[in-house]
Amino acid sequence: MELWPCLAAALLLLLLLLVQLSRAAEFYAKVALYCALCFTVSAVASLVCLLRHGGRTVENMSIIGWFVRSFKYFYGLRFEVRDPRRLQEARPCVIVSNHQSILDMMGLMEVLPERCVQIAKRELLFLGPVGLIMYLGGVFFINRQRSSTAMTVMADLGERMVRENLKVWIYPEGTRNDNGDLLPFKKGAFYLAVQAQVPIVPVVYSSFSSFYNTKKKFFTSGTVTVQVLEAIPTSGLTAADVPALVDTCHRAMRTTFLHISKTPQENGATAGSGVQPAQ
């Protein structure tokens, strides 16, 4: 029986040695820790939310944010937020931001304003305590495989965000993207803003590639610049104006992303060279 503690200690030492010697082992260990933190914190935060508010409400997001903001201390990450006041105005709006990796949740919680909910794919609802805490936080889940259902949810949300003074956070790229640029935007967020006649507030996160890279398998400490751009009004716009609205927002966010990221591009130039941040 005394052999098992020795074997466990030996395995732990071997794991620590692998993490020290192998960049890939360190990467996977940190990702595993991140996932473990997400599940553990979700379970604890769910209990706190139920005790504090009794069920599903946007007010639970402040509790969730408090827990998630502690993650950065485990990884040595720092968020430099520029012009956060643009998110704090007491009015409904649609917030759009770029979507890079599993770490986006930390960045979102750094700047999440009051009475703000997110839209997420329905599959996340079934991730145990993670799905539960998202539900309790008021997240709206859409089934991307059934467009009619997704449209119904968005139509209902457009009415609720005005009636309940909600801000809605959406990733218009639709999927994670770590290629050093922005993907084309899907139009759902912009139709929602036009339908509700509320402004769009773009939020741009600099590239994570200097400290987090799934292809090269490294995960170190670093700083993320978060730039909140000026609101784009939609008052008086109709569905016919959505394509131009998408293009305006994408160009402003892409210019800002390249400027604040300063990551090497394929042609050898530095991202952001020769471009100015969107005003």
Side-chain angles (χ1 to χ4, degrees):
M1 295 294 293
E2 296 180 357
L3 181 62
W4 291 109
C6 295
L7 287 175
L11 288 173
L12 180 59
L13 287 173
L14 179 60
L15 178 60
L16 291 173
L17 182 61
L18 283 173
V19 168
Q20 292 296 320
L21 296 179
S22 169
R23 185 172 68 185
E26 180 183 14
F27 173 83
Y28 287 117
K30 287 186 174 181
V31 170
L33 173 62
Y34 183 81
C35 293
L37 281 172
C38 288
F39 277 85
T40 303
V41 165
S42 293
V44 176
S46 295
L47 180 60
V48 175
C49 289
L50 287 170
L51 291 173
R52 181 73 180 273
H53 296 124
R56 176 178 169 88
T57 171
V58 67
E59 303 301 332
N60 284 327
M61 289 308 303
S62 61
I63 297 173
I64 300 168
W66 184 86
F67 279 99
V68 173
R69 284 192 294 273
S70 67
F71 287 17
K72 62 188 175 188
Y73 301 112
F74 289 90
Y75 294 98
L77 297 181
R78 179 174 175 268
F79 292 88
E80 178 188 310
V81 184
R82 301 176 181 174
D83 299 310
R85 70 186 186 282
R86 292 172 175 169
L87 283 176
Q88 304 305 325
E89 295 187 28
R91 61 178 178 181
C93 65
V94 173
I95 303 168
V96 294
S97 69
N98 51 318
H99 192 18
Q100 300 183 66
S101 76
I102 59 174
L103 305 183
D104 287 340
M105 181 176 63
M106 284 194 286
L108 182 149
M109 292 302 175
E110 281 293 315
V111 298
L112 191 75
E114 293 183 357
R115 302 197 59 75
C116 182
V117 297
Q118 297 85 54
I119 291 181
K121 57 184 180 182
R122 185 171 176 268
E123 292 84 347
L124 296 177
L125 181 58
F126 306 104
L127 284 180
V130 174
L132 174 60
I133 195 60
M134 293 177 72
Y135 172 81
L136 291 174
V139 171
F140 284 82
F141 298 94
I142 60 173
N143 187 342
R144 295 190 296 189
Q145 274 65 53
R146 299 184 62 180
S147 58
S148 59
T149 303
M151 290 174 65
T152 300
V153 172
M154 296 291 273
D156 176 62
L157 182 54
E159 297 176 0
R160 288 189 60 180
M161 65 187 301
V162 174
R163 184 173 68 249
E164 301 176 20
N165 191 28
L166 296 175
K167 295 178 173 65
V168 179
W169 193 297
I170 302 177
Y171 297 109
E173 291 172 285
T175 188
R176 296 172 189 163
N177 166 43
D178 60 356
N179 69 2
D181 206 337
L182 300 188
L183 295 175
F185 286 173
K186 298 182 182 300
K187 297 178 181 178
F190 303 90
Y191 278 116
L192 175 63
V194 168
Q195 171 198 332
Q197 292 289 282
V198 299
I200 296 169
V201 181
V203 178
V204 184
Y205 293 85
S206 61
S207 174
F208 296 171
S209 63
S210 63
F211 63 87
Y212 178 85
N213 191 304
T214 57
K215 296 175 183 176
K216 296 181 180 179
K217 299 294 182 293
F218 69 81
F219 190 173
T220 62
S221 59
T223 299
V224 179
T225 300
V226 187
Q227 176 68 63
V228 183
L229 304 185
E230 289 185 0
I232 301 173
T234 65
S235 180
L237 299 185
T238 67
D241 299 302
V242 166
L245 187 62
V246 172
D247 182 62
T248 297
C249 188
H250 188 277
R251 283 190 288 107
M253 290 180 65
R254 182 174 185 269
T255 298
T256 302
F257 175 78
L258 295 176
H259 178 80
I260 64 178
S261 295
K262 297 181 172 61
T263 55
Q265 301 296 286
E266 291 181 356
N267 62 5
T270 299
S273 299
V275 296
Q276 298 298 318
Q279 301 298 317

